[in-house]
Amino acid sequence: MPQSRLELIVQKLRRYKGKLLVMKKFKDLVVHILWDSYSDQKLYKLAYQLKHKGYLISLKKDIFLVKEPDATIHEQQIIDQHYRSILKKHINQYLPGKRYIWWLKALELHCMNFSAPDEILLVSESKQSTEILMFEKKLLCKRYTSRKQNLFRSFYWLAQKYKIWPNAFHIATIELAILETLYSPNIVSQWYAQTLIKKLLKSYYKSFDLSVIEKVLSLGKHHSSTQRLYDLIGRQHKDIGNWLITLMKKYSY
């Protein structure tokens, strides 16, 4: 490609400095400037050329960050600034329909911890997979089933909308996040998770909704989590502990 044509693209790219650029937008930009159709192979070759010259950083296959060649941007800085936007774009594209964030990240969000985890887990009605979000950050998708029945719709209505400006996500409620985190606990994160649960209940135990626990147990899920929750806080919060015992006697095996 003649240098003058490349310079036209670089000049246009500078308007997006510090912003994310998806491949479709990049293609539209190139076609608009050059008045020429481009195959995907040519586009990726052009993107590689611009990356080599320092104008683009590839965050994943179809998303770039636009920069100046002499600008030094550290990976953690990119993650802090763009992780949530990329997560939102990814799930809108590859995980359509209803879904919610569960397990430990949901628990952290209730504690106002907005850091980007190495792995974030989402529950949906149909998808089970492990996918790359950016760099080494992964998205794990799972289904909620019991006795070959899909229970996602029942659990989705126990989730809530949570806004992390400017993006909005559905996440498990405090009660559901606690049960999900206590299910088959990771030995590495177990102490940390228990600390978060105690912290949350210290602030929210008066509004802790035991009807959520009852709903989950009635669906045949998280009996062991309920027992672990009782072992963790039942003696400290006796009113909750007594109800947990009642619910376990009613629904557990």
Side-chain angles (χ1 to χ4, degrees):
M1 173 180 292
Q3 184 67 23
S4 59
R5 302 182 78 189
L6 185 62
E7 285 176 350
L8 285 173
I9 295 174
V10 168
Q11 186 178 358
K12 191 75 171 181
L13 274 179
R14 285 196 168 102
R15 300 181 184 182
Y16 298 87
K17 185 173 65 176
K19 297 181 180 179
L20 299 178
L21 189 68
V22 299
M23 179 55 78
K24 184 180 184 304
K25 181 69 176 178
F26 179 62
K27 182 176 183 177
D28 292 343
L29 182 150
V30 171
V31 171
H32 178 73
I33 293 172
L34 303 182
W35 288 50
D36 195 3
S37 61
Y38 260 67
S39 66
D40 288 346
Q41 184 178 1
K42 283 187 177 181
L43 281 169
Y44 280 109
K45 185 176 179 179
L46 175 59
Y48 178 82
Q49 188 176 1
L50 290 166
K51 286 190 293 181
H52 182 70
K53 290 180 176 294
Y55 291 102
L56 296 177
I57 297 176
S58 180
L59 305 186
K60 55 183 297 185
K61 182 181 178 181
D62 295 323
I63 298 182
F64 309 100
L65 177 67
V66 183
K67 64 181 282 291
E68 291 288 354
D70 58 350
T72 300
I73 305 177
H74 298 290
E75 182 176 304
Q76 189 57 50
Q77 181 183 350
I78 297 172
I79 291 170
D80 292 341
Q81 292 179 352
H82 299 290
Y83 173 83
R84 289 181 290 277
S85 294
I86 289 178
L87 172 62
K88 188 67 174 180
K89 289 178 187 294
H90 185 97
I91 61 178
N92 284 343
Q93 183 175 358
Y94 299 108
L95 196 61
K98 295 180 173 64
R99 64 267 165 165
Y100 72 87
I101 297 170
W102 78 307
W103 201 60
L104 187 57
K105 190 64 231 178
L107 208 59
E108 288 182 328
L109 288 172
H110 285 295
C111 292
M112 307 300 287
N113 178 345
F114 304 118
S115 62
D118 291 336
E119 296 181 343
I120 189 166
L121 283 72
L122 269 75
V123 181
S124 73
E125 190 162 15
S126 58
K127 196 169 188 180
Q128 189 127 343
S129 64
T130 299
E131 302 169 10
I132 298 296
L133 281 174
M134 58 186 298
F135 300 127
E136 300 299 318
K137 303 294 184 182
K138 296 179 181 179
L139 167 65
L140 278 62
C141 304
K142 79 174 294 285
R143 297 188 297 266
Y144 248 126
T145 58
S146 179
R147 300 169 188 171
K148 298 183 179 181
Q149 288 188 324
N150 194 319
L151 301 177
F152 171 77
R153 294 185 182 184
S154 298
F155 279 88
Y156 179 77
W157 298 115
L158 299 176
Q160 66 184 76
K161 197 171 185 179
Y162 193 96
K163 191 164 186 178
I164 310 173
W165 190 90
N167 302 294
F169 303 91
H170 272 81
I171 71 170
T173 59
I174 290 174
E175 298 82 8
L176 183 56
I178 287 173
L179 292 182
E180 290 172 339
T181 303
L182 288 173
Y183 175 75
S184 187
N186 184 323
I187 192 169
V188 176
S189 61
Q190 182 175 4
W191 178 87
Y192 172 61
Q194 291 176 349
T195 301
L196 288 184
I197 292 169
K198 289 178 181 179
K199 178 182 177 180
L200 278 171
L201 287 177
K202 187 176 181 180
S203 302
Y204 295 104
Y205 79 92
K206 288 185 178 180
S207 57
F208 191 76
D209 191 353
L210 282 159
S211 68
V212 173
I213 309 293
E214 183 168 14
K215 174 66 173 176
V216 171
L217 289 175
S218 71
L219 292 170
K221 298 293 286 186
H222 294 312
H223 298 279
S224 60
S225 298
T226 305
Q227 179 64 59
R228 291 188 182 105
L229 178 59
Y230 173 79
D231 294 338
L232 184 63
I233 56 92
R235 292 174 180 80
Q236 182 180 0
H237 302 291
K238 292 185 178 180
D239 48 347
I240 294 178
N242 290 336
W243 268 110
L244 290 176
I245 290 174
T246 300
L247 294 176
M248 285 188 289
K249 286 181 178 179
K250 183 177 180 180
Y251 293 102
S252 295
Y253 310 113

